[in-house]
Amino acid sequence: MHVYRRQEEHGTAVPRGQSVQVIGARLAKRIVRLAPCLGLLLLLASTTARAGQPGEGQELLFFGSAEANRIDPDQLPASNDALASADILYSLTRNRFRLLGELIVSTEEIELERFQVGWLPHETTSLFAGRYHQPTNYWASVYHHGQYLQTSITRPNIEGWEDDSGVLQTHQTGLIVESNFGLRESTGLEIAVSYGSGSVIGNGVLEPFDIFDKEGVAGASFAARIGFLPDILGNNAIGVILGRSEFESSESQLIIPDLADVNQDLMGAFANWTVGSWHVISAAYHLRNELDRATMRSSDSFTAGYVQLEKSISDWTLYGRWENTAGAEESDYLTLFPDYVVQRSLIGVRLDFLKRHAVTLEVFDAENSAGDFRKIAIQWSAAFH
Amino acid sequence: MERCIPLSTMRINLFFILLFAVTGVTAEGSREVVLVVANESPIVAVSSLELRKLYLGLPVALQGNFARPLRNHSDEQLQEIFFQSAMAMSEAAYERQLLSLTLRFGRLQPEVRHSVEDLKDILREDDKAITYMWRSDIAEEDDLRVVKLLWLEH
């Protein structure tokens, strides 16, 4: 009997012995690929003292987390496991130029999630080139990999990372412009527009374009998000999302062997609102997919969304989330991702303690193509500055 | 004949002098939190919106000069008053928002100082520096001036 490595809601588990070798090889490959970027970051960090000019300087943030979880063993292969990760963010601002890097080091992977070099023409406008989180993924745009900042342990599955059963592109390499415009009084608009690489469809997962992979071929992707801010300096926002992506199918993709590429159109809306001790974050996405196969073309669509409601009582936060996908059964596109969770209901409680530490307990009931399953998880998370 | 002040009266006076000095009570009996710069600073006015932007890590030009905001961590009550009156949020919410803004945009966070004397020294050395204090903390300082009243005890 195999012992399976972290699977969470995945149906495609990898035997542990094999996974250790595979992951070890992947990590070594990644470290070699990341070396130039990491070298540049370390050089800048070591040679740049806090700048003397106002508006110039550098920041280093660490987000740490550790999680233990248990999934109902009757539903899926054993997948109880522990996961630890550190998210390291470094930014350097000089003469209206900014460099930003975000590196994840975990028991699962080491990956340079973001690496952006940009220009700040105005106090609330930035133009970046590099690898960043696509603005159509609202959750990722707000929380990135900062586990401590998001109340729940899990993220909604429609907002999942490409390598964690996500079906939307979250990482893009290209250009992104982000800006805030003041409207009447203190209200404002938040706009983010990006254009860059699409992803590659692998076997059961999306694979973001890898600039260091010379064999990587990806289409183009456009993404835009516009939000209304009742307070231009606050967190409350409501808005819409638009995107179009081209995904090439890789040779390793075996679920639809004659698939050449997918064109995906995305429309969505989001809300992120705090009133007193209540907070709600919600998004809905409608996707239309055109699959270009050797023998035929087909199209499908589905709609996915979630609502997460939170209530703070002193240092405690109670929360619940409901997420669902309509039209999943008729979608050829979703058959490419058997681990995608089509529905999930969860509740949780979080306790904040000391300075920037939290412990969270979460229980959920979910369904993917393999059937229903349940999970209980406990997590410590923290931020260090 | 010189009039002698009773020892008990002297003690009471000394107590109130110390109390005023510690708590920042003005001559009129009200405590004030003020925004302070050096006398030579080109900064002469700061709007409420500019102040919020500054302390959320945005580069803000005041009278054509990019200001350098400093956080005064010398007194817990002072911080509480500053965040409620100037930033319209609790300190915990402010800390969370700063983390989020740095994570999202790489935005710089205002420098933190734990000593009033350190803050005064920085203000004297850097005419773009700006911070908040009890008014009583600068009562004796001729080279520092107030640019804005942030809070007045009622």
Side-chain angles (χ1 to χ4, degrees), chain B residues 12-150:
Chain B
I12 290 167
N13 289 344
L14 184 62
F15 169 77
F16 278 107
I17 288 167
L18 287 172
L19 182 69
F20 290 171
V22 168
T23 58
V25 176
T26 63
E28 292 77 26
S30 299
R31 291 189 301 170
E32 293 178 10
V33 175
V34 291
L35 209 55
V36 183
V37 295
N39 259 347
E40 295 76 32
S41 174
I43 298 168
V44 293
V46 186
S47 72
S48 297
L49 187 63
E50 287 170 333
L51 184 63
R52 287 182 67 207
K53 284 181 176 178
L54 264 179
Y55 278 91
L56 286 173
L58 283 167
V60 177
L62 299 172
Q63 289 80 53
N65 299 277
F66 282 103
R68 177 184 171 194
L70 302 165
R71 288 176 64 182
N72 184 344
H73 270 217
S74 66
D75 183 323
E76 244 177 61
Q77 192 186 9
L78 173 72
Q79 284 195 82
E80 196 179 314
I81 291 169
F82 174 75
F83 289 118
Q84 291 294 348
S85 59
M87 304 304 291
M89 63 178 85
S90 68
E91 187 182 359
Y94 172 76
E95 294 282 1
R96 196 175 171 85
Q97 191 161 355
L98 273 189
L99 276 180
S100 174
L101 292 169
T102 303
L103 181 67
R104 290 177 73 176
F105 307 112
R107 199 176 284 181
L108 297 173
Q109 300 192 10
E111 294 168 56
V112 174
R113 290 291 183 275
H114 297 273
S115 150
V116 175
E117 292 310 312
D118 276 359
L119 286 163
K120 289 178 185 175
D121 289 344
I122 296 173
L123 292 177
R124 290 180 185 113
E125 289 164 11
D126 183 353
D127 63 4
K128 314 288 192 308
I130 187 166
T131 193
Y132 47 92
M133 290 181 180
W134 294 114
R135 185 186 280 274
S136 58
D137 284 338
I138 61 158
E140 305 292 318
E141 312 292 348
D142 295 334
D143 49 358
L144 302 178
R145 66 179 158 82
V146 172
V147 284
K148 192 179 181 75
L149 173 66
L150 298 176

Side-chain angles (χ1 to χ4, degrees), chain A residues 257-271:
Chain A
D258 64 340
L259 182 69
D261 57 63
V262 174
N263 288 317
Q264 184 178 80
D265 293 314
L266 180 155
M267 287 188 303
F270 65 89

